[in-house]
Amino acid sequence: MAYSEKVIDHYNDPKNVGSLDKNDENTGTGLVGAPECGDVMKLQIQVNPDTNEIVDAKFKTFGCGSAIASSSLATEWVKGKSIDEAMSIKNTEIVEELSLPPVKIHCSVLAEDAIKAAISDYRKRSEG
Amino acid sequence: MASEHTSCQSCGDSLISPLFCFSCNSLQTVSDDIDHFKVMGLPHCFEIDSAELENLYQRLTLEMHPDFFVEAPEKQKHLSEKSSVMLNAAYSTLREPSSRAKYLLPLLDREKSLETDALPERFLQEMFTFQESLDEMLESGDQSALCKMNEDLQNRHTFIESNYADLFKKFETSPENHEILQQLQTQLNAERYLRRLLDRINSE
């Protein structure tokens, strides 16, 4: 299967690989998986509690090129957004941006799930 | 039609597989939608005799392979191709316990109520940690740590696969208990992650 140029770009030069301190109360961590293929994706956000803006994001994904590209793109997109804006990112936008073929759509779903999981983890921790 | 798939369309003898009659050596016309178990003349049951499955596969391949129908009329040629594709798909799915279980599960899940993404608690975190440690081991070339991890994962994988038969049997005796199917689904999901890790170790 041929990957699109944008997928290859993200795969060769992934943005924001790494991790944030998950014990910091201003971070949120989302860990999601796709049993279909055994991919695991961790996406973390750092939030400015005064403005609710996502100031940093990191990811680490064990999976195919499309899963890596989807999560790399997701971290780029959430940075600078408010958590509400980030919450509304749809997997279809990722599919479009990366020209993912139908068999790889689940990778974009995983990235959307990871963003949502990270945000809900942040909310839970900042309220608690 | 009651006799469909069970008796030969030419001689009327009973069929072992709906694809071919060994009594009069004739290819059978079959509908596209018969499932892999039916192709091999098996009931929807997890436990199968692997030797018997392989034996039937080989006998059918020897009779139906498209190479033997190069000179045959178009209809026969087409039937042999179609049946061989069905045979290969059925055999490759049914021979391995995990792929067989994965295929059988939705056939038994009449209520379509399975939570297909379910995993044991904290399992994902554990798999992520395994992948990260694997990164380190591969980078440092720590062979003994790799061997150890391979063995641990292999044991867990074997343990999961060894439970399928019992769980399916349990479901047969209490088919109203959908919780058993969910347990199987969860185990199958876990199996996928473990195999993914094992593949990664063994491809390096």
Side-chain angles (χ1 to χ4, degrees):
Chain A
M1 189 195 54
Y3 281 125
S4 73
E5 222 164 276
K6 279 183 180 157
V7 169
I8 294 169
D9 283 350
H10 277 285
Y11 182 76
N12 287 335
D13 182 22
K15 309 295 183 296
N16 311 311
V17 175
S19 53
L20 300 168
D21 178 8
K22 66 174 183 177
N23 296 318
D24 181 334
E25 60 174 28
N26 295 326
T27 66
T29 301
L31 181 67
V32 293
E36 187 88 346
C37 51
D39 285 358
V40 216
M41 184 182 285
K42 185 177 82 173
L43 191 147
Q44 295 180 297
I45 52 168
Q46 170 109 39
V47 181
N48 177 338
D50 301 325
T51 59
N52 268 344
E53 186 198 344
I54 297 175
V55 290
D56 199 6
K58 297 277 182 206
F59 85 95
K60 192 151 189 193
T61 293
F62 296 97
C64 66
S66 302
I68 290 169
S70 297
S71 35
S72 171
L73 180 66
T75 53
E76 280 199 308
W77 277 1
V78 297
K79 271 209 251 182
K81 284 195 168 68
S82 72
I83 51 177
D84 287 334
E85 284 167 346
M87 202 69 184
S88 68
I89 292 173
K90 294 273 172 299
N91 83 292
T92 47
E93 300 169 79
I94 297 172
V95 171
E96 206 174 311
E97 173 68 17
L98 297 174
S99 317
L100 295 179
V103 291
K104 292 293 180 184
I105 286 174
H106 69 272
C107 299
S108 68
V109 174
L110 207 55
E112 183 190 324
D113 288 349
I115 296 173
K116 294 199 156 73
I119 293 172
S120 90
D121 180 57
Y122 166 74
R123 282 184 171 148
K124 210 163 30 182
R125 286 147 44 78
S126 61
E127 282 160 18
Chain B
M1 196 162 56
S3 65
E4 194 189 15
H5 300 147
T6 58
S7 52
C8 175
Q9 288 147 3
S10 308
C11 75
D13 248 10
S14 64
L15 296 168
I16 302 171
S17 158
L19 300 180
F20 190 81
C21 174
F22 288 109
S23 303
C24 68
N25 289 331
S26 62
L27 287 164
Q28 305 289 306
T29 308
V30 284
S31 49
D32 297 319
D33 57 358
I34 64 168
D35 67 62
H36 294 337
F37 284 92
K38 290 212 180 94
V39 165
M40 302 310 276
L42 295 167
H44 289 167
C45 179
F46 177 74
E47 281 196 270
I48 58 171
D49 184 328
S50 323
E52 220 166 82
L53 181 78
E54 191 184 336
N55 185 322
L56 180 60
Y57 169 72
Q58 283 172 352
R59 280 178 71 199
L60 285 167
T61 303
L62 280 173
E63 299 289 350
M64 309 191 311
H65 198 282
D67 283 0
F68 308 133
F69 292 84
V70 177
E71 310 272 316
E74 213 46 50
K75 193 189 165 207
Q76 295 287 97
K77 216 193 255 182
H78 174 72
L79 261 183
S80 106
E81 282 165 11
K82 183 180 150 188
S83 297
S84 295
V85 169
M86 287 169 89
L87 174 66
N88 289 333
Y91 179 63
S92 63
T93 302
L94 298 183
R95 62 193 293 218
E96 301 293 342
S98 287
S99 61
R100 182 164 74 247
K102 185 172 179 244
Y103 184 79
L104 178 58
L105 203 54
L107 295 177
L108 299 178
D109 176 28
R110 295 217 176 74
E111 296 172 13
K112 304 286 167 232
S113 62
L114 286 179
E115 195 195 321
T116 51
D117 291 346
L119 281 172
E121 214 182 83
R122 287 197 297 275
F123 183 82
L124 211 49
Q125 181 61 56
E126 200 185 359
M127 292 301 108
F128 189 84
T129 309
F130 268 127
Q131 291 278 17
E132 279 193 314
S133 327
L134 190 50
D135 268 355
E136 286 165 23
M137 289 175 197
L138 290 170
E139 204 170 314
S140 65
D142 188 342
Q143 288 303 320
S144 71
L146 278 170
C147 277
K148 172 84 176 56
M149 186 189 252
N150 189 41
E151 199 184 313
D152 286 352
L153 292 169
Q154 195 67 59
N155 285 340
R156 286 178 65 169
H157 189 265
T158 309
F159 179 73
I160 287 183
E161 288 202 322
S162 68
N163 278 332
Y164 297 153
D166 277 350
L167 286 168
F168 276 114
K169 209 179 285 167
K170 244 184 174 172
F171 182 70
E172 266 172 45
T173 52
S174 48
E176 74 293 339
N177 189 350
H178 253 242
E179 190 48 42
I180 301 169
L181 291 185
Q182 185 60 57
Q183 271 180 47
L184 271 160
Q185 177 76 64
T186 305
Q187 295 294 305
L188 277 164
N189 291 344
E191 186 275 338
R192 185 62 61 91
Y193 286 94
L194 291 170
R195 198 177 52 204
R196 184 70 184 266
L197 276 160
L198 284 164
D199 286 348
R200 195 174 160 213
I201 296 177
N202 293 302
S203 71
E204 298 289 338

